[in-house]
């Protein structure tokens, strides 16, 4: 059996300040986790806080419709600008890059338009509280 040896931080090469900071950080993280367990529980117990507000559901719907409309207008602008620039490009690599850019803009617009109705349908099937009172279909 070998005798137990207690090495000091100086003998092991560890900086005592760093080990103290690590201990304080670990204790702080554990404290935050324990604190959040007790504080988050009452907040999670609230049901339909968004739906019970007066104008909040209509504000969320309006914001989503506005951002969707701006996204579609942005797609049209990007598409037309890329088509115009494509007419004046010389190299095939530049044309490929512009076509790639147009495709990525189209994908973004499709995701933007499909996300709201998808959340509305899936959220109502999963009984999510926000989907019960907010219709995120952009039309």
């Amino acid at each position: 059996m070998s005798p137990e040896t207690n090495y000091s931080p100086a003998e092991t090469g560890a900086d005592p300040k760093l080990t103290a900071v690590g201990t304080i950080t670990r204790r702080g993280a554990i404290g935050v986790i324990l604190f959040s367990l007790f504080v988050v529980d009452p907040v999670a117990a609230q049901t339909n806080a968004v739906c019970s507000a007066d104008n909040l559901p209509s504000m969320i719907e309006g914001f989503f419709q506005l951002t969707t409309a701006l996204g579609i207008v942005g797609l049209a602008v990007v598409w037309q600008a890329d088509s115009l620039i494509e007419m004046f490009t010389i190299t095939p690599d530049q044309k490929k890059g512009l076509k790639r850019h147009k495709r990525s803009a189209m994908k973004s617009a499709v995701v933007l338009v499909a996300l709201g109705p998808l959340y509305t349908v899936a959220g109502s099937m999963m009984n999510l509280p926000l989907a019960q009172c907010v219709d995120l279909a952009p039309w």
Side-chain angles (χ1 to χ4, degrees):
M1 292 179 83
S2 64
E4 285 188 33
T5 55
N6 292 330
Y7 294 108
S8 68
E11 293 173 355
T12 60
D15 188 7
K17 292 179 183 177
L18 291 178
T19 56
V21 169
T23 304
I24 292 171
T25 304
R26 196 175 319 119
R27 286 184 184 170
I30 291 171
V32 167
I33 290 171
L34 290 175
F35 180 72
S36 66
L37 287 175
F38 295 110
V39 174
V40 172
D41 188 37
V43 174
Q46 294 177 358
T47 57
N48 289 335
V50 173
C51 295
S52 63
D54 291 335
N55 294 327
L56 192 57
S58 62
M59 287 174 57
I60 293 172
E61 290 173 5
F63 176 77
F64 191 78
Q65 289 173 355
L66 178 69
T67 55
T68 303
L70 288 175
I72 292 170
V73 169
L75 168 69
V77 168
V78 166
W79 193 276
Q80 291 300 317
D82 283 349
S83 296
L84 180 66
I85 294 170
E86 194 175 355
M87 288 191 296
F88 297 109
T89 57
I90 298 170
T91 65
D93 290 337
Q94 290 174 336
K95 288 186 180 187
K96 286 180 186 176
L98 287 170
K99 287 186 181 189
R100 239 187 349 259
H101 188 252
K102 284 167 61 172
R103 253 184 277 135
S104 68
M106 179 62 85
K107 288 178 187 176
S108 298
V110 167
V111 167
L112 185 66
V113 170
L115 199 60
L118 181 67
Y119 176 78
T120 302
V121 171
S124 62
M125 286 174 42
M126 293 186 291
N127 292 327
L128 295 177
L130 185 62
Q132 303 299 325
C133 63
V134 176
D135 182 22
L136 295 180
W139 48 83

